[in-house]
Short mmCIF file of all heavy atoms in Angstrom, two decimals:
data_model
loop_
_atom_site.label_atom_id
_atom_site.label_comp_id
_atom_site.label_asym_id
_atom_site.label_seq_id
_atom_site.Cartn_x
_atom_site.Cartn_y
_atom_site.Cartn_z
N MET H 6 0.84 -1.16 0.01
CA MET H 6 -0.01 0.00 0.03
C MET H 6 0.90 1.16 0.02
O MET H 6 1.76 1.41 0.88
CB MET H 6 -0.94 -0.07 1.23
CG MET H 6 -1.76 1.15 1.36
SD MET H 6 -3.01 1.31 2.63
CE MET H 6 -2.67 0.01 3.82
N ALA H 7 0.74 2.07 -0.96
CA ALA H 7 1.53 3.36 -1.10
C ALA H 7 1.07 4.33 -0.03
O ALA H 7 -0.12 4.50 0.17
CB ALA H 7 1.37 3.83 -2.42
N LYS H 8 1.95 5.04 0.61
CA LYS H 8 1.71 5.96 1.56
C LYS H 8 1.50 7.30 0.86
O LYS H 8 2.24 7.76 0.10
CB LYS H 8 2.82 6.18 2.54
CG LYS H 8 2.29 6.56 3.88
CD LYS H 8 3.21 6.24 4.89
CE LYS H 8 2.54 6.42 6.35
NZ LYS H 8 3.36 6.18 7.31
N SER H 9 0.42 8.04 1.28
CA SER H 9 0.06 9.31 0.65
C SER H 9 0.95 10.36 1.19
O SER H 9 1.31 10.37 2.36
CB SER H 9 -1.29 9.62 0.89
OG SER H 9 -1.57 10.96 0.51
N ALA H 10 1.30 11.40 0.48
CA ALA H 10 2.25 12.51 0.92
C ALA H 10 1.38 13.41 1.79
O ALA H 10 1.85 14.10 2.73
CB ALA H 10 2.78 13.27 -0.25
N PHE H 11 0.01 13.39 1.60
CA PHE H 11 -0.85 14.33 2.32
C PHE H 11 -1.40 13.55 3.48
O PHE H 11 -2.07 12.58 3.28
CB PHE H 11 -2.00 14.82 1.44
CG PHE H 11 -2.97 15.74 2.12
CD1 PHE H 11 -2.55 17.03 2.51
CD2 PHE H 11 -4.19 15.29 2.62
CE1 PHE H 11 -3.36 17.89 3.16
CE2 PHE H 11 -5.01 16.09 3.31
CZ PHE H 11 -4.70 17.48 3.58
N ASP H 12 -1.18 13.96 4.72
CA ASP H 12 -1.64 13.34 5.88
C ASP H 12 -3.02 14.03 6.40
O ASP H 12 -2.91 15.04 6.93
CB ASP H 12 -0.56 13.25 7.01
CG ASP H 12 -0.97 12.52 8.21
OD1 ASP H 12 -2.02 11.79 8.21
OD2 ASP H 12 -0.13 12.36 9.05
N THR H 13 -4.07 13.36 6.26
CA THR H 13 -5.38 13.95 6.52
C THR H 13 -5.39 14.17 8.01
O THR H 13 -6.02 15.32 8.38
CB THR H 13 -6.48 13.00 6.09
OG1 THR H 13 -6.35 12.78 4.76
CG2 THR H 13 -7.87 13.65 6.33
N LEU H 14 -5.00 13.40 8.82
CA LEU H 14 -5.12 13.49 10.32
C LEU H 14 -4.29 14.68 10.75
O LEU H 14 -4.67 15.47 11.66
CB LEU H 14 -4.71 12.25 11.02
CG LEU H 14 -5.80 11.04 10.99
CD1 LEU H 14 -5.25 9.91 11.74
CD2 LEU H 14 -7.19 11.55 11.54
N ARG H 15 -3.10 14.80 10.09
CA ARG H 15 -2.21 15.89 10.56
C ARG H 15 -2.83 17.17 10.20
O ARG H 15 -2.77 18.21 10.92
CB ARG H 15 -0.85 15.68 9.91
CG ARG H 15 0.13 16.81 10.34
CD ARG H 15 1.47 16.56 9.81
NE ARG H 15 1.89 15.32 10.15
CZ ARG H 15 3.07 15.10 10.77
NH1 ARG H 15 3.87 16.13 11.14
NH2 ARG H 15 3.27 13.81 11.27
N ALA H 16 -3.39 17.34 8.97
CA ALA H 16 -4.09 18.59 8.49
C ALA H 16 -5.27 18.77 9.37
O ALA H 16 -5.47 20.06 9.75
CB ALA H 16 -4.57 18.28 7.14
N LEU H 17 -5.94 17.82 9.83
CA LEU H 17 -7.19 18.02 10.71
C LEU H 17 -6.73 18.56 12.03
O LEU H 17 -7.32 19.36 12.64
CB LEU H 17 -7.96 16.65 10.83
CG LEU H 17 -9.18 16.78 11.61
CD1 LEU H 17 -10.26 17.72 10.99
CD2 LEU H 17 -9.88 15.35 11.79
N ALA H 18 -5.59 18.06 12.53
CA ALA H 18 -5.10 18.52 13.88
C ALA H 18 -4.64 19.92 13.83
O ALA H 18 -5.03 20.73 14.64
CB ALA H 18 -3.96 17.65 14.28
N ILE H 19 -3.96 20.21 12.76
CA ILE H 19 -3.45 21.68 12.56
C ILE H 19 -4.61 22.57 12.48
O ILE H 19 -4.75 23.63 13.18
CB ILE H 19 -2.52 21.71 11.36
CG1 ILE H 19 -1.22 20.94 11.69
CG2 ILE H 19 -2.30 23.25 11.15
CD1 ILE H 19 -0.29 20.74 10.54
N ALA H 20 -5.64 22.17 11.74
CA ALA H 20 -6.76 23.03 11.35
C ALA H 20 -7.59 23.25 12.63
O ALA H 20 -8.06 24.37 12.98
CB ALA H 20 -7.69 22.54 10.22
N SER H 21 -7.82 22.29 13.32
CA SER H 21 -8.57 22.37 14.60
C SER H 21 -7.92 23.10 15.69
O SER H 21 -8.57 23.97 16.34
CB SER H 21 -8.92 20.99 15.23
OG SER H 21 -7.80 20.31 15.73
N GLN H 22 -6.69 23.10 15.81
CA GLN H 22 -5.89 23.92 16.77
C GLN H 22 -5.79 25.35 16.27
O GLN H 22 -6.13 26.21 17.17
CB GLN H 22 -4.45 23.39 17.00
CG GLN H 22 -4.39 21.93 17.46
CD GLN H 22 -5.03 21.87 18.95
OE1 GLN H 22 -4.67 22.61 19.76
NE2 GLN H 22 -6.06 20.98 18.98
N ALA H 23 -5.79 25.57 15.01
CA ALA H 23 -5.65 26.92 14.56
C ALA H 23 -7.10 27.65 14.74
O ALA H 23 -7.22 28.75 15.12
CB ALA H 23 -5.23 26.95 13.06
N LEU H 24 -8.07 26.82 14.38
CA LEU H 24 -9.42 27.42 14.54
C LEU H 24 -9.80 27.69 16.05
O LEU H 24 -10.32 28.62 16.44
CB LEU H 24 -10.42 26.34 14.05
CG LEU H 24 -11.95 26.84 14.04
CD1 LEU H 24 -12.22 28.00 13.20
CD2 LEU H 24 -12.79 25.64 13.64
N GLY H 25 -9.31 26.81 16.93
CA GLY H 25 -9.44 27.06 18.44
C GLY H 25 -8.76 28.23 18.80
O GLY H 25 -9.43 29.13 19.62
N PHE H 26 -7.57 28.50 18.42
CA PHE H 26 -6.85 29.74 18.91
C PHE H 26 -7.45 30.96 18.31
O PHE H 26 -7.45 31.98 18.96
CB PHE H 26 -5.34 29.52 18.53
CG PHE H 26 -4.52 28.70 19.34
CD1 PHE H 26 -3.79 27.70 18.93
CD2 PHE H 26 -4.59 28.88 20.77
CE1 PHE H 26 -3.18 26.87 19.70
CE2 PHE H 26 -3.91 28.02 21.66
CZ PHE H 26 -3.14 26.93 21.06
N ILE H 27 -7.83 30.91 17.02
CA ILE H 27 -8.58 32.04 16.48
C ILE H 27 -9.85 32.38 17.12
O ILE H 27 -10.14 33.57 17.48
CB ILE H 27 -8.84 31.74 14.94
CG1 ILE H 27 -7.50 31.78 14.15
CG2 ILE H 27 -9.83 32.75 14.32
CD1 ILE H 27 -7.64 31.33 12.73
N LEU H 28 -10.65 31.29 17.63
CA LEU H 28 -11.84 31.61 18.24
C LEU H 28 -11.52 32.08 19.68
O LEU H 28 -12.26 33.00 20.16
CB LEU H 28 -12.61 30.31 18.52
CG LEU H 28 -13.89 30.33 19.09
CD1 LEU H 28 -14.87 31.25 18.51
CD2 LEU H 28 -14.55 28.93 19.19
N ILE H 29 -10.44 31.71 20.36
CA ILE H 29 -10.04 32.10 21.75
C ILE H 29 -9.74 33.66 21.59
O ILE H 29 -10.18 34.57 22.50
CB ILE H 29 -8.96 31.38 22.30
CG1 ILE H 29 -9.42 30.06 22.81
CG2 ILE H 29 -8.30 32.17 23.50
CD1 ILE H 29 -8.47 29.14 23.18
N ILE H 30 -8.95 34.05 20.63
CA ILE H 30 -8.58 35.45 20.46
C ILE H 30 -9.78 36.31 20.04
O ILE H 30 -9.93 37.44 20.52
CB ILE H 30 -7.38 35.53 19.40
CG1 ILE H 30 -6.15 34.91 19.90
CG2 ILE H 30 -7.19 36.99 19.00
CD1 ILE H 30 -5.08 34.73 18.96
N THR H 31 -10.61 35.78 19.20
CA THR H 31 -11.81 36.53 18.84
C THR H 31 -12.79 36.78 19.98
O THR H 31 -13.29 37.86 20.18
CB THR H 31 -12.54 35.80 17.63
OG1 THR H 31 -11.68 35.55 16.58
CG2 THR H 31 -13.75 36.48 17.16
N LEU H 32 -12.89 35.68 20.79
CA LEU H 32 -13.77 35.90 22.03
C LEU H 32 -13.15 36.91 22.89
O LEU H 32 -14.03 37.68 23.44
CB LEU H 32 -13.90 34.54 22.72
CG LEU H 32 -14.73 33.46 22.11
CD1 LEU H 32 -14.66 32.10 22.77
CD2 LEU H 32 -16.19 33.81 22.16
N GLU H 33 -11.99 36.91 23.04
CA GLU H 33 -11.29 38.00 23.98
C GLU H 33 -11.56 39.38 23.37
O GLU H 33 -11.88 40.29 24.12
CB GLU H 33 -9.78 37.76 24.14
CG GLU H 33 -9.12 38.71 24.88
CD GLU H 33 -9.47 38.65 26.50
OE1 GLU H 33 -9.82 37.46 26.81
OE2 GLU H 33 -9.46 39.58 27.12
N THR H 34 -11.44 39.42 22.14
CA THR H 34 -11.59 40.75 21.44
C THR H 34 -13.01 41.30 21.47
O THR H 34 -13.26 42.49 21.83
CB THR H 34 -11.10 40.68 19.93
OG1 THR H 34 -9.85 40.19 19.95
CG2 THR H 34 -11.29 42.01 19.19
N VAL H 35 -13.98 40.32 21.25
CA VAL H 35 -15.31 40.73 21.14
C VAL H 35 -15.99 40.97 22.62
O VAL H 35 -16.70 41.91 22.81
CB VAL H 35 -16.23 39.74 20.42
CG1 VAL H 35 -17.60 40.06 20.39
CG2 VAL H 35 -15.69 39.81 18.93
N MET H 36 -15.80 39.93 23.48
CA MET H 36 -16.39 39.86 24.84
C MET H 36 -15.63 40.45 25.93
O MET H 36 -16.10 40.74 27.14
CB MET H 36 -16.83 38.41 25.12
CG MET H 36 -17.77 37.86 24.02
SD MET H 36 -18.13 36.21 24.38
CE MET H 36 -19.12 36.29 25.80
N GLY H 37 -14.40 40.66 25.83
CA GLY H 37 -13.48 41.12 26.94
C GLY H 37 -13.42 40.04 28.07
O GLY H 37 -13.22 38.90 27.80
N ASP H 38 -13.50 40.46 29.38
CA ASP H 38 -13.41 39.53 30.49
C ASP H 38 -14.57 38.47 30.43
O ASP H 38 -14.38 37.33 31.06
CB ASP H 38 -13.34 40.30 31.71
CG ASP H 38 -11.99 40.97 32.00
OD1 ASP H 38 -11.03 40.50 31.38
OD2 ASP H 38 -11.97 41.89 32.75
N ALA H 39 -15.77 38.81 29.84
CA ALA H 39 -16.89 37.90 29.84
C ALA H 39 -16.49 36.64 29.00
O ALA H 39 -17.30 35.68 29.08
CB ALA H 39 -18.08 38.49 29.37
N ALA H 40 -15.46 36.65 28.26
CA ALA H 40 -15.11 35.48 27.27
C ALA H 40 -14.47 34.47 28.09
O ALA H 40 -14.27 33.31 27.50
CB ALA H 40 -14.21 36.08 26.19
N ARG H 41 -13.98 34.64 29.35
CA ARG H 41 -13.17 33.57 30.03
C ARG H 41 -13.80 32.24 30.05
O ARG H 41 -13.12 31.29 29.76
CB ARG H 41 -12.92 34.00 31.45
CG ARG H 41 -12.05 35.25 31.59
CD ARG H 41 -10.65 34.89 31.11
NE ARG H 41 -9.82 36.22 31.34
CZ ARG H 41 -8.97 36.53 30.45
NH1 ARG H 41 -8.63 35.85 29.46
NH2 ARG H 41 -8.29 37.70 30.69
N PRO H 42 -15.11 31.96 30.48
CA PRO H 42 -15.67 30.61 30.44
C PRO H 42 -15.71 30.12 29.04
O PRO H 42 -15.46 28.85 28.79
CB PRO H 42 -17.09 30.87 30.96
CG PRO H 42 -17.15 32.21 31.61
CD PRO H 42 -16.05 33.07 31.00
N TRP H 43 -16.13 30.94 28.05
CA TRP H 43 -16.14 30.37 26.64
C TRP H 43 -14.71 30.06 26.16
O TRP H 43 -14.58 28.97 25.39
CB TRP H 43 -16.70 31.39 25.73
CG TRP H 43 -18.20 31.68 26.02
CD1 TRP H 43 -18.67 32.86 26.77
CD2 TRP H 43 -19.36 30.93 25.79
NE1 TRP H 43 -20.15 32.69 26.78
CE2 TRP H 43 -20.41 31.43 26.24
CE3 TRP H 43 -19.44 29.65 25.07
CZ2 TRP H 43 -21.61 30.85 26.15
CZ3 TRP H 43 -20.64 28.96 25.05
CH2 TRP H 43 -21.76 29.70 25.47
N GLN H 44 -13.67 30.75 26.49
CA GLN H 44 -12.34 30.38 26.24
C GLN H 44 -12.03 29.02 26.86
O GLN H 44 -11.24 28.20 26.16
CB GLN H 44 -11.38 31.54 26.61
CG GLN H 44 -11.58 32.68 25.76
CD GLN H 44 -10.71 33.86 26.20
OE1 GLN H 44 -10.48 33.97 27.49
NE2 GLN H 44 -10.19 34.71 25.33
N GLY H 45 -12.41 28.84 28.08
CA GLY H 45 -12.14 27.57 28.70
C GLY H 45 -12.69 26.31 28.05
O GLY H 45 -12.09 25.30 27.84
N TRP H 46 -14.12 26.59 27.53
CA TRP H 46 -14.70 25.52 26.87
C TRP H 46 -14.11 25.26 25.47
O TRP H 46 -13.97 24.10 25.03
CB TRP H 46 -16.09 25.89 26.73
CG TRP H 46 -16.99 25.68 27.92
CD1 TRP H 46 -17.45 26.58 28.78
CD2 TRP H 46 -17.29 24.39 28.56
NE1 TRP H 46 -18.09 26.02 29.87
CE2 TRP H 46 -17.97 24.65 29.73
CE3 TRP H 46 -16.94 23.00 28.27
CZ2 TRP H 46 -18.49 23.67 30.66
CZ3 TRP H 46 -17.33 21.99 29.14
CH2 TRP H 46 -18.16 22.27 30.22
N THR H 47 -13.63 26.34 24.91
CA THR H 47 -12.91 26.17 23.60
C THR H 47 -11.62 25.43 23.75
O THR H 47 -11.19 24.57 23.00
CB THR H 47 -12.61 27.63 22.98
OG1 THR H 47 -13.94 28.22 22.79
CG2 THR H 47 -11.98 27.46 21.62
N LEU H 48 -10.88 25.80 24.77
CA LEU H 48 -9.52 25.10 25.10
C LEU H 48 -9.87 23.53 25.36
O LEU H 48 -9.17 22.69 24.84
CB LEU H 48 -8.91 25.74 26.14
CG LEU H 48 -7.48 25.16 26.54
CD1 LEU H 48 -6.54 25.34 25.46
CD2 LEU H 48 -6.91 25.84 27.74
N ALA H 49 -10.96 23.33 26.20
CA ALA H 49 -11.28 21.85 26.49
C ALA H 49 -11.66 21.09 25.08
O ALA H 49 -11.22 20.03 25.00
CB ALA H 49 -12.41 21.90 27.38
N ALA H 50 -12.40 21.77 24.30
CA ALA H 50 -12.66 21.14 23.06
C ALA H 50 -11.39 20.92 22.17
O ALA H 50 -11.35 19.90 21.49
CB ALA H 50 -13.82 22.05 22.25
N MET H 51 -10.52 21.75 22.26
CA MET H 51 -9.24 21.61 21.45
C MET H 51 -8.53 20.38 21.99
O MET H 51 -7.91 19.71 21.19
CB MET H 51 -8.33 22.88 21.58
CG MET H 51 -8.92 24.07 20.87
SD MET H 51 -8.13 25.63 21.30
CE MET H 51 -6.34 25.24 20.69
N VAL H 52 -8.42 20.31 23.39
CA VAL H 52 -7.73 19.16 23.86
C VAL H 52 -8.51 17.82 23.51
O VAL H 52 -7.83 16.84 23.21
CB VAL H 52 -7.65 19.39 25.48
CG1 VAL H 52 -7.09 18.02 26.11
CG2 VAL H 52 -6.78 20.44 25.78
N VAL H 53 -9.79 17.89 23.62
CA VAL H 53 -10.51 16.64 23.28
C VAL H 53 -10.24 16.28 21.75
O VAL H 53 -10.07 15.05 21.35
CB VAL H 53 -12.05 16.85 23.56
CG1 VAL H 53 -12.81 15.76 22.82
CG2 VAL H 53 -12.28 16.84 25.06
N ALA H 54 -10.28 17.31 20.90
CA ALA H 54 -9.99 17.00 19.53
C ALA H 54 -8.59 16.38 19.20
O ALA H 54 -8.46 15.45 18.50
CB ALA H 54 -10.19 18.28 18.74
N ALA H 55 -7.64 17.04 19.85
CA ALA H 55 -6.25 16.49 19.89
C ALA H 55 -6.09 14.94 20.35
O ALA H 55 -5.48 14.31 19.71
CB ALA H 55 -5.29 17.47 20.66
N LEU H 56 -6.79 14.74 21.48
CA LEU H 56 -6.78 13.45 21.99
C LEU H 56 -7.42 12.37 21.01
O LEU H 56 -6.95 11.35 20.86
CB LEU H 56 -7.35 13.32 23.33
CG LEU H 56 -6.63 13.95 24.50
CD1 LEU H 56 -7.34 13.90 25.81
CD2 LEU H 56 -5.22 13.25 24.69
N TRP H 57 -8.60 12.86 20.45
CA TRP H 57 -9.34 11.96 19.49
C TRP H 57 -8.44 11.67 18.23
O TRP H 57 -8.35 10.51 17.81
CB TRP H 57 -10.61 12.69 19.15
CG TRP H 57 -11.49 11.78 18.21
CD1 TRP H 57 -11.57 11.91 16.88
CD2 TRP H 57 -12.14 10.69 18.67
NE1 TRP H 57 -12.39 10.86 16.40
CE2 TRP H 57 -12.79 10.08 17.53
CE3 TRP H 57 -12.50 9.95 19.86
CZ2 TRP H 57 -13.68 8.97 17.53
CZ3 TRP H 57 -13.29 8.92 19.86
CH2 TRP H 57 -13.89 8.42 18.67
N ILE H 58 -7.79 12.75 17.75
CA ILE H 58 -6.92 12.63 16.58
C ILE H 58 -5.75 11.62 16.94
O ILE H 58 -5.37 10.73 16.11
CB ILE H 58 -6.57 13.83 16.01
CG1 ILE H 58 -7.71 14.64 15.38
CG2 ILE H 58 -5.50 13.77 14.96
CD1 ILE H 58 -7.44 16.15 15.12
N ALA H 59 -5.15 11.71 18.19
CA ALA H 59 -4.19 10.88 18.48
C ALA H 59 -4.53 9.47 18.57
O ALA H 59 -3.88 8.54 18.13
CB ALA H 59 -3.47 11.31 19.83
N LEU H 60 -5.83 9.24 19.19
CA LEU H 60 -6.32 7.82 19.15
C LEU H 60 -6.58 7.20 17.86
O LEU H 60 -6.34 6.05 17.70
CB LEU H 60 -7.62 7.82 20.12
CG LEU H 60 -7.32 7.93 21.60
CD1 LEU H 60 -8.74 8.06 22.24
CD2 LEU H 60 -6.67 6.65 22.08
N VAL H 61 -7.18 8.02 17.03
CA VAL H 61 -7.35 7.53 15.62
C VAL H 61 -6.06 7.25 14.86
O VAL H 61 -5.94 6.13 14.21
CB VAL H 61 -8.21 8.56 14.77
CG1 VAL H 61 -8.23 8.20 13.28
CG2 VAL H 61 -9.60 8.69 15.29
N ARG H 62 -5.00 8.02 15.08
CA ARG H 62 -3.73 7.76 14.48
C ARG H 62 -3.08 6.55 15.02
O ARG H 62 -2.59 5.64 14.21
CB ARG H 62 -2.85 8.94 14.70
CG ARG H 62 -1.46 8.78 14.07
CD ARG H 62 -0.60 9.98 14.37
NE ARG H 62 -1.08 11.23 13.81
CZ ARG H 62 -0.89 11.48 12.47
NH1 ARG H 62 -0.24 10.68 11.75
NH2 ARG H 62 -1.31 12.68 12.00
N LEU H 63 -3.22 6.36 16.36
CA LEU H 63 -2.70 5.09 16.88
C LEU H 63 -3.41 3.84 16.47
O LEU H 63 -2.84 2.82 16.18
CB LEU H 63 -2.90 5.17 18.43
CG LEU H 63 -2.34 4.01 19.29
CD1 LEU H 63 -0.84 3.85 19.15
CD2 LEU H 63 -2.64 4.29 20.75
N TYR H 64 -4.77 3.88 16.34
CA TYR H 64 -5.54 2.85 15.83
C TYR H 64 -5.15 2.50 14.49
O TYR H 64 -4.95 1.35 14.06
CB TYR H 64 -7.09 3.24 15.86
CG TYR H 64 -7.90 2.20 15.20
CD1 TYR H 64 -8.18 0.96 15.73
CD2 TYR H 64 -8.48 2.48 13.94
CE1 TYR H 64 -9.03 0.11 15.16
CE2 TYR H 64 -9.27 1.56 13.27
CZ TYR H 64 -9.55 0.40 13.94
OH TYR H 64 -10.33 -0.57 13.20
N ARG H 65 -5.02 3.49 13.56
CA ARG H 65 -4.72 3.27 12.13
C ARG H 65 -3.18 2.60 12.10
O ARG H 65 -2.93 1.77 11.29
CB ARG H 65 -4.66 4.55 11.40
CG ARG H 65 -6.14 4.99 11.03
CD ARG H 65 -6.10 6.21 10.16
NE ARG H 65 -7.43 6.67 9.84
CZ ARG H 65 -7.71 7.65 9.21
NH1 ARG H 65 -6.74 8.46 8.68
NH2 ARG H 65 -8.99 8.04 8.93
N ARG H 66 -2.31 3.17 12.86
CA ARG H 66 -0.94 2.68 12.85
C ARG H 66 -0.89 1.16 13.25
O ARG H 66 -0.27 0.33 12.66
CB ARG H 66 -0.04 3.48 13.73
CG ARG H 66 1.36 3.14 13.70
CD ARG H 66 2.34 4.00 14.55
NE ARG H 66 2.09 5.40 14.20
CZ ARG H 66 1.97 6.37 15.12
NH1 ARG H 66 2.17 6.19 16.44
NH2 ARG H 66 1.85 7.65 14.71
N ASN H 67 -1.73 0.84 14.34
CA ASN H 67 -1.77 -0.57 14.83
C ASN H 67 -2.34 -1.37 13.73
O ASN H 67 -1.88 -2.53 13.43
CB ASN H 67 -2.41 -0.62 16.07
CG ASN H 67 -1.56 -0.11 17.24
OD1 ASN H 67 -0.32 0.00 17.19
ND2 ASN H 67 -2.12 0.25 18.43
N ARG H 68 -3.39 -0.95 13.10
CA ARG H 68 -4.12 -1.77 12.10
C ARG H 68 -3.19 -2.03 10.92
O ARG H 68 -3.09 -3.14 10.40
CB ARG H 68 -5.38 -1.08 11.63
CG ARG H 68 -6.16 -1.78 10.74
CD ARG H 68 -7.46 -1.13 10.38
NE ARG H 68 -7.09 0.12 9.68
CZ ARG H 68 -7.93 1.08 9.33
NH1 ARG H 68 -9.26 0.98 9.59
NH2 ARG H 68 -7.57 2.07 8.68
N GLU H 69 -2.43 -1.03 10.48
CA GLU H 69 -1.46 -1.10 9.40
C GLU H 69 -0.43 -2.14 9.81
O GLU H 69 0.08 -2.97 8.93
CB GLU H 69 -0.86 0.14 8.92
CG GLU H 69 -1.83 1.06 8.19
CD GLU H 69 -1.35 2.47 7.89
OE1 GLU H 69 -0.12 2.66 8.27
OE2 GLU H 69 -2.05 3.27 7.57
N ARG H 70 0.15 -2.00 11.06
CA ARG H 70 1.09 -2.94 11.50
C ARG H 70 0.78 -4.45 11.48
O ARG H 70 1.44 -5.29 11.11
CB ARG H 70 1.67 -2.54 12.86
CG ARG H 70 2.96 -3.28 13.30
CD ARG H 70 3.35 -2.98 14.69
NE ARG H 70 2.38 -3.71 15.63
CZ ARG H 70 1.79 -3.17 16.62
NH1 ARG H 70 2.06 -1.90 16.89
NH2 ARG H 70 0.92 -3.86 17.33
N LYS H 71 -0.46 -4.62 11.96
CA LYS H 71 -1.03 -5.97 11.96
C LYS H 71 -1.27 -6.51 10.58
O LYS H 71 -0.99 -7.69 10.37
CB LYS H 71 -2.34 -5.96 12.75
CG LYS H 71 -2.21 -5.93 14.28
CD LYS H 71 -3.53 -5.84 15.00
CE LYS H 71 -3.29 -5.59 16.44
NZ LYS H 71 -4.64 -5.55 17.22
N ALA H 72 -1.73 -5.64 9.58
CA ALA H 72 -1.89 -6.11 8.23
C ALA H 72 -0.52 -6.46 7.61
O ALA H 72 -0.43 -7.42 7.00
CB ALA H 72 -2.55 -5.02 7.51
N ARG H 73 0.46 -5.67 7.95
CA ARG H 73 1.85 -5.99 7.43
C ARG H 73 2.31 -7.24 8.03
O ARG H 73 2.94 -8.02 7.32
CB ARG H 73 2.75 -4.80 7.82
CG ARG H 73 3.51 -4.24 6.68
CD ARG H 73 4.38 -3.13 7.11
NE ARG H 73 3.66 -2.24 8.11
CZ ARG H 73 4.20 -1.71 9.09
NH1 ARG H 73 5.55 -1.83 9.37
NH2 ARG H 73 3.44 -0.93 9.92
N LEU H 74 2.17 -7.41 9.36
CA LEU H 74 2.65 -8.76 9.96
C LEU H 74 1.91 -9.97 9.38
O LEU H 74 2.51 -11.02 9.18
CB LEU H 74 2.45 -8.59 11.48
CG LEU H 74 3.40 -7.76 12.19
CD1 LEU H 74 3.13 -7.68 13.67
CD2 LEU H 74 4.80 -8.18 11.97
N ARG H 75 0.66 -9.84 9.08
CA ARG H 75 -0.20 -10.86 8.55
C ARG H 75 0.35 -11.16 7.12
O ARG H 75 0.46 -12.33 6.71
CB ARG H 75 -1.64 -10.51 8.43
CG ARG H 75 -2.38 -11.06 9.53
CD ARG H 75 -3.89 -10.93 9.40
NE ARG H 75 -4.52 -10.07 10.41
CZ ARG H 75 -4.99 -8.86 10.36
NH1 ARG H 75 -5.00 -8.43 9.02
NH2 ARG H 75 -5.37 -8.21 11.28
N GLY H 76 0.71 -10.00 6.33
CA GLY H 76 1.30 -10.36 5.04
C GLY H 76 2.62 -11.07 5.10
O GLY H 76 2.95 -11.82 4.24
N LEU H 77 3.44 -10.68 6.01
CA LEU H 77 4.75 -11.38 6.27
C LEU H 77 4.65 -12.86 6.50
O LEU H 77 5.41 -13.63 6.15
CB LEU H 77 5.62 -10.57 7.21
CG LEU H 77 6.08 -9.27 6.81
CD1 LEU H 77 6.86 -8.61 7.96
CD2 LEU H 77 6.97 -9.22 5.71
N GLY H 78 3.59 -13.05 7.37
CA GLY H 78 3.40 -14.51 7.90
C GLY H 78 2.89 -15.42 6.78
O GLY H 78 3.15 -16.58 6.79
N ASP H 79 2.26 -14.82 5.62
CA ASP H 79 1.72 -15.69 4.59
C ASP H 79 2.90 -16.15 3.67
O ASP H 79 2.66 -17.13 3.03
CB ASP H 79 0.77 -14.84 3.70
CG ASP H 79 -0.55 -14.52 4.49
OD1 ASP H 79 -0.84 -15.29 5.47
OD2 ASP H 79 -1.24 -13.67 4.09
N ASP H 80 4.01 -15.34 3.72
CA ASP H 80 5.18 -15.72 2.93
C ASP H 80 5.94 -16.98 3.28
O ASP H 80 6.62 -17.64 2.55
CB ASP H 80 6.14 -14.50 2.78
CG ASP H 80 5.46 -13.40 1.97
OD1 ASP H 80 4.42 -13.66 1.22
OD2 ASP H 80 5.98 -12.30 2.01
N ASP H 81 5.87 -17.18 4.52
CA ASP H 81 6.55 -18.38 5.26
C ASP H 81 6.14 -19.61 4.82
O ASP H 81 5.13 -20.01 4.42
CB ASP H 81 6.60 -18.22 6.74
CG ASP H 81 7.48 -17.06 7.22
OD1 ASP H 81 8.25 -16.52 6.46
OD2 ASP H 81 7.30 -16.61 8.32
#
């Protein structure tokens, strides 16, 4: 299986973090001190998204490794 040069999960991680930081800054600009709770929720959502992407990456890596090992076992 050929590996793609474009990593969708990496792009999703970068985009979600960038969007989160933009939202945090925008909330501060628009709402001032009242933005603090919303910024906290935004940061929590960013952490959840990062953990979810890491789990999906780990799952895919393990699945590919198992498939490779199965393929090597067939040759013996």
Side-chain angles (χ1 to χ4, degrees):
M6 177 173 16
K8 206 165 196 180
S9 174
F11 181 75
D12 187 358
T13 306
L14 286 177
R15 183 174 303 239
L17 184 61
I19 292 168
S21 68
Q22 296 300 301
L24 182 63
F26 284 124
I27 290 169
L28 184 57
I29 286 173
I30 292 168
T31 303
L32 285 168
E33 180 71 27
T34 303
V35 173
M36 298 175 69
D38 285 338
R41 298 287 184 219
W43 293 104
Q44 289 174 324
W46 283 109
T47 302
L48 184 60
M51 290 168 62
V52 170
V53 167
L56 290 174
W57 183 260
I58 291 169
L60 283 174
V61 170
R62 181 179 295 281
L63 182 65
Y64 171 77
R65 287 183 181 178
R66 187 179 302 141
N67 286 341
R68 188 178 61 186
E69 289 173 6
R70 188 185 75 227
K71 286 179 184 178
R73 234 178 316 142
L74 289 175
R75 262 190 243 116
L77 290 176
D79 293 342
D80 293 341
D81 291 342

